[in-house]
Amino acid sequence: MLLSRRGGPGTRRLLFSLLLLACWKTGSGQVHYSVPEEAKHGTFVGRIAQDLGLELTELVPRLFRVASKGRGDLLEVNLQNGILFVNSRIDREELCGRSLECSIHLEVIVERPPQVFHVEVEVKDINDNPPVFPENKKRIIIAESRPPETRFPLDGASDADVGANSALTYRIDPSDYFALDTKHNREQTSSLSLVLRKSLDREEIQEHRLLLTATDGGKPELTGTVQLLITVLDVNDNAPEFDKFIYKVKVLENAFNGTLVFKLNATDPDDGINGDIIYSFRRPVSPAVLNAFIINPNSGEIRTKGKLDFEEEKFYEISVEAVDQGNIPMAGHCTILVEILDINDNAPEVTITSLSLPVPEDAQVGTVIALVSVSDRDSGTNGQVTCTLTPHVPFKLVSTFKNYYSLVLDSALDRESVSGYTVVVTAKDEGSPSLSATASVSVEVADVNDNAPVFAQPEYTVFVKENNPPGCHIFTVSARDVDAQENALVSYSLVERRVGERALSSYVSVHAESGKVYALQPLDHEELELLQFQPRQPNPDWRYSASLRAGMHSSVHLEEAGILRAGPGGSDQQWPTVSSATPEPEAGEVSPPVGAGVNSNSWTFKYGPGNPKQSGPGELPDKFIIPGSPAIISIRQEPTNSQIDKSDFITFGKKEETKKKKKKKKGNKTQEKKEKGNSTTDNSDQ
């Protein structure tokens, strides 16, 4: 570090003492630390994780990170032990200039749930900069006629440090002719003058050489020097004079180019050219003064040059020299202190950082959506900013620190009512006239499955002619789900119940995807006039599907319902349109839904969330279990154009026993009618 090179053991002891003074405290939700500038890499700053109430084990899972606007990587956090340490060289003068207060503001952000903390690290000054004069040699011309107590202004040294480290004292080599005088004023500036103690005699000494030394107040102290070369002349014995040594003026930062700032007026009692005065900025002139002002050498008028900016420079110190035109020129000096007045010429700036987008519609009130920060380069009331949100949105701003806010959810969301919001943050300062700025963030509302499917009407009546062919399409139901994407997919099924001695599914079936309702066998008006299906509420453990209740004969009665298609992890099987399975009691009843024709060997099988795979051709299992029945369906696929009896396509129970019983009963007409109602039939309505 620069300090270790310039200082000795005392400097290192000072650095060590300052390190021991590093401390933290919390107040208003903020953690404070301090660290000396030029501290070495790895220097301990504070146990930031512990001080913020965070466990070490949750730093990585919660994506612990530290952000410092415009401060680079000066400070870093060890995620293993939660310690904040110095990562790279910190130069207080480079960081904050001559400001008495110098801090690094850190934003600590963690996720799951999102949180933000604010940490202030104060950078302590050390005496690492010596006093520096504007030039190594200073030439001064003094007429031998100047009386004792005449004062000659000198340029003081500057010290980049602050506080006691920048408090300077001056001394010169012992001299019979000159003394040094330093005066301090309320503006914290000092005037340094060389005072003539007795009359000069050019014939005795033509040039005086003095060493001017500046010493700062640091421990250990640092010094700087300038060589004074004083030439004694033998002409023009009156110098121009101003009525004041210091003048103070104020100028608005929006002053037009060429605005008069001040008019100088020096007097010289000499006659002729010895009394003619030329005004100029006293050298050396700072670049800031040269860029902002211009002086008329004859009239002494100082005017603005270019644009003033309070945010860039708030104060100017202009040293002026009035020189007469005698053979031996003499000069008078004064200083103009120019204060720049702020106007409200900077609009606020708004920055929005998104954290949790999109937002699920079931998000809890208080969920943090984004981080908002505002700033205004103006000062005073011109730089005081208030933030507001777009009205009539379910969000609000919560202040977390000065000019820092969290955008949080203020009320419940409903994607089906509003699927997204454009939230506009307006920052307005308190200047006159007031200036404002806006920034927006698009908040998309993510869907959750919070709506059951709904039929167009709660009840349907369908008239069907008796003796209909098996597998005929009798009606189509349609339900709608207002959710989005996968949550809006609807499937249909029947709620099984007994109709007399038979299962409801032996009369009708519904296609799971299309909602088409099919009669599985010829209906007999004399046997059954009305077939009515009852609704059932959906099970929240699965995605909803609309369920159809159908009644048959001359009328079919349908009602709205939503049911669970299958339990978690279970399969949802869609059976073929027709089956030639025997209706023998030993083999169980047949109740296949519509889905495939007699000659079809295409089977569709749906599975729950644990296994989304669907079997394709050639991947058929050879047996299926009928829901609600102990019967087992055995399936045998035959080659194309096979002449095999279709009754062998699907069989129930014990295959051999079923075939024998079917052959014995073929002569019975009643049995033929029953077999006709259950045999495999191609349905053109499919």
Side-chain angles (χ1 to χ4, degrees):
M1 294 188 299
L2 182 60
L3 176 60
S4 63
R5 292 198 301 269
R6 292 180 177 171
T11 302
R12 288 192 290 271
R13 287 195 297 272
L14 172 62
L15 177 57
F16 180 74
S17 299
L18 290 174
L19 288 172
L20 293 178
L21 291 175
C23 64
W24 66 272
K25 64 177 181 178
T26 59
S28 303
Q30 182 181 3
V31 177
H32 294 265
Y33 300 103
S34 64
V35 64
E37 66 170 326
E38 304 292 348
K40 294 182 179 179
H41 172 76
T43 297
F44 173 87
V45 178
R47 301 185 183 276
I48 190 170
Q50 175 181 323
D51 299 338
L52 294 176
L54 300 174
E55 296 294 334
L56 295 180
T57 56
E58 65 180 345
L59 297 185
V60 174
R62 294 189 66 186
L63 304 180
F64 180 98
R65 58 192 183 275
V66 175
S68 177
K69 184 177 181 182
R71 300 308 188 204
D73 58 347
L74 298 180
L75 300 171
E76 193 58 75
V77 175
N78 187 327
L79 296 182
Q80 302 301 318
N81 55 25
I83 291 178
L84 181 67
F85 64 92
V86 175
N87 187 49
S88 59
R89 176 177 175 267
I90 302 176
D91 187 342
R92 187 187 188 282
E93 289 70 37
E94 179 181 343
L95 199 64
C96 303
R98 293 190 56 80
S99 175
L100 294 178
E101 297 180 0
C102 184
S103 297
I104 301 174
H105 176 74
L106 304 177
E107 274 190 354
V108 179
I109 302 174
V110 294
E111 304 285 353
R112 304 169 188 164
Q115 286 181 281
V116 61
F117 304 92
H118 297 276
V119 178
E120 289 285 337
V121 180
E122 180 184 0
V123 180
K124 296 287 189 180
D125 182 55
I126 64 172
N127 192 26
D128 59 340
N129 292 280
V132 177
F133 286 93
E135 46 194 357
N136 296 327
K137 294 182 179 181
K138 174 68 175 179
R139 293 189 176 276
I140 303 174
I141 299 175
I142 302 177
E144 64 175 346
S145 59
R146 300 301 295 268
E149 300 304 318
T150 299
R151 309 171 72 88
F152 303 93
L154 298 175
D155 297 314
S158 61
D159 193 315
D161 294 319
V162 296
N165 294 332
S166 65
L168 303 181
T169 57
Y170 298 88
R171 68 178 185 274
I172 60 171
D173 295 340
S175 171
D176 294 334
Y177 293 91
F178 298 98
L180 194 63
D181 183 38
T182 303
K183 291 184 179 180
H184 297 275
N185 54 47
R186 290 178 296 180
E187 284 72 32
Q188 301 301 314
T189 61
S190 60
S191 60
L192 186 64
S193 299
L194 188 66
V195 180
L196 184 63
R197 299 177 62 182
K198 67 177 185 178
S199 298
L200 299 172
D201 186 354
R202 183 181 178 278
E203 285 70 29
E204 181 180 349
I205 302 176
Q206 296 183 0
E207 185 178 78
H208 298 261
R209 291 176 175 264
L210 301 174
L211 185 66
L212 173 61
T213 302
T215 305
D216 65 25
K219 301 291 183 181
E221 62 186 23
L222 301 176
T223 61
T225 60
V226 60
Q227 184 74 44
L228 302 180
L229 303 177
I230 304 170
T231 301
V232 180
L233 294 182
D234 194 22
V235 290
N236 194 14
D237 57 356
N238 288 288
E241 291 183 354
F242 295 94
D243 58 351
K244 290 183 180 180
F245 184 69
I246 295 177
Y247 297 90
K248 299 177 183 179
V249 295
K250 297 180 179 181
V251 181
L252 290 172
E253 68 170 326
N254 65 339
F256 293 106
N257 185 17
T259 298
L260 178 64
V261 176
F262 190 75
K263 189 177 186 306
L264 299 167
N265 184 24
T267 58
D268 191 326
D270 293 331
D271 294 330
I273 60 173
N274 291 333
D276 293 337
I277 298 174
I278 298 297
Y279 300 94
S280 63
F281 295 135
R282 184 163 60 88
R283 300 178 63 185
V285 188
S286 71
V289 170
L290 285 177
N291 292 332
F293 304 97
I294 189 171
I295 187 171
N296 187 309
N298 298 313
S299 65
E301 291 181 345
I302 298 177
R303 296 182 177 272
T304 59
K305 173 187 176 183
K307 186 179 184 301
L308 302 177
D309 190 350
F310 173 85
E311 287 69 37
E312 295 294 334
E313 200 78 41
K314 301 175 178 60
F315 184 84
Y316 294 88
E317 181 175 341
I318 305 175
S319 296
V320 176
E321 188 175 63
V323 181
D324 63 25
Q325 300 300 297
N327 291 328
I328 303 176
M330 302 186 69
H333 307 84
C334 72
T335 300
I336 296 99
L337 303 179
V338 182
E339 179 183 357
I340 306 302
L341 301 180
D342 182 49
I343 64 168
N344 194 25
D345 60 342
N346 290 281
E349 296 179 356
V350 185
T351 302
I352 299 179
T353 304
S354 300
L355 292 181
S356 306
L357 295 178
V359 182
E361 63 178 323
D362 61 350
Q364 297 294 318
V365 172
T367 298
V368 178
I369 309 301
L371 302 179
V372 180
S373 63
V374 297
S375 60
D376 193 314
R377 298 181 65 218
D378 291 319
S379 65
T381 57
N382 294 332
Q384 295 178 5
V385 181
T386 56
C387 280
T388 57
L389 276 185
T390 310
H392 312 303
V393 293
F395 307 96
K396 67 178 180 179
L397 286 175
V398 177
S399 177
T400 59
F401 188 67
K402 181 181 178 182
N403 291 338
Y404 289 87
Y405 302 85
S406 291
L407 179 65
V408 302
L409 185 62
D410 191 38
S411 60
L413 300 173
D414 185 3
R415 189 205 65 83
E416 287 70 36
S417 299
V418 182
S419 61
Y421 299 85
T422 298
V423 181
V424 179
V425 179
T426 301
K428 185 178 181 181
D429 64 28
E430 297 183 12
S432 180
S434 178
L435 299 177
S436 63
T438 61
S440 63
V441 59
S442 295
V443 180
E444 178 186 353
V445 181
D447 183 60
V448 297
N449 195 19
D450 59 347
N451 291 278
V454 178
F455 286 99
Q457 60 190 70
E459 183 175 303
Y460 299 87
T461 300
V462 178
F463 295 94
V464 180
K465 291 181 180 181
E466 64 179 344
N467 299 323
N468 57 284
C472 73
H473 173 220
I474 61 174
F475 190 66
T476 300
V477 293
S478 177
R480 179 177 177 270
D481 192 315
V482 296
D483 288 321
Q485 298 178 350
E486 192 174 27
N487 295 331
L489 297 178
V490 176
S491 62
Y492 304 87
S493 65
L494 295 176
V495 176
E496 184 65 277
R497 69 180 182 87
R498 305 296 296 179
V499 180
E501 296 181 357
R502 304 187 63 177
L504 170 65
S505 57
S506 67
Y507 289 99
V508 293
S509 69
V510 61
H511 192 279
E513 295 179 358
S514 68
K516 288 184 176 182
V517 180
Y518 297 88
L520 301 180
Q521 63 182 16
L523 301 175
D524 190 342
H525 177 79
E526 288 70 21
E527 178 185 335
L528 183 65
E529 292 187 11
L530 177 66
L531 189 59
Q532 182 172 348
F533 310 116
Q534 301 299 320
R536 186 170 69 188
Q537 294 300 318
N539 189 322
D541 294 334
W542 191 257
R543 65 182 177 87
Y544 297 119
S545 63
S547 168
L548 173 64
R549 314 289 183 268
M552 285 301 301
H553 187 53
S554 58
S555 67
V556 177
H557 188 72
L558 307 177
E559 294 185 2
E560 172 191 348
I563 69 167
L564 178 66
R565 291 301 309 273
S571 63
D572 178 12
Q573 302 174 347
Q574 178 176 323
W575 308 100
T577 305
V578 201
S579 172
S580 61
T582 175
E584 301 298 299
E586 294 87 344
E589 290 187 334
V590 182
S591 56
V594 176
V598 173
N599 297 317
S600 172
N601 64 357
S602 174
W603 300 70
T604 300
F605 304 93
K606 296 182 179 178
Y607 294 83
N611 182 10
K613 179 182 177 183
Q614 293 192 2
S615 298
E619 300 181 45
L620 308 181
D622 59 356
K623 293 183 179 180
F624 296 86
I625 297 176
I626 302 176
S629 170
I632 296 177
I633 304 176
S634 296
I635 303 161
R636 181 164 58 85
Q637 299 184 72
E638 295 297 331
T640 306
N641 300 323
S642 174
Q643 300 301 317
I644 192 170
D645 185 355
K646 294 299 187 294
S647 65
D648 290 334
F649 186 65
I650 300 177
T651 58
F652 281 67
K654 296 181 180 179
K655 183 175 181 182
E656 296 302 324
E657 294 178 1
T658 301
K659 287 183 177 181
K660 292 177 182 179
K661 291 179 181 179
K662 287 180 65 179
K663 290 179 180 179
K664 290 180 181 180
K665 295 182 180 181
K666 282 187 178 179
N668 189 300
K669 292 183 178 180
T670 305
Q671 183 62 32
E672 287 178 355
K673 183 178 180 179
K674 185 178 297 185
E675 287 178 352
K676 181 180 180 182
N678 289 278
S679 63
T680 303
T681 304
D682 189 24
N683 182 9
S684 60
D685 275 346
Q686 293 178 192

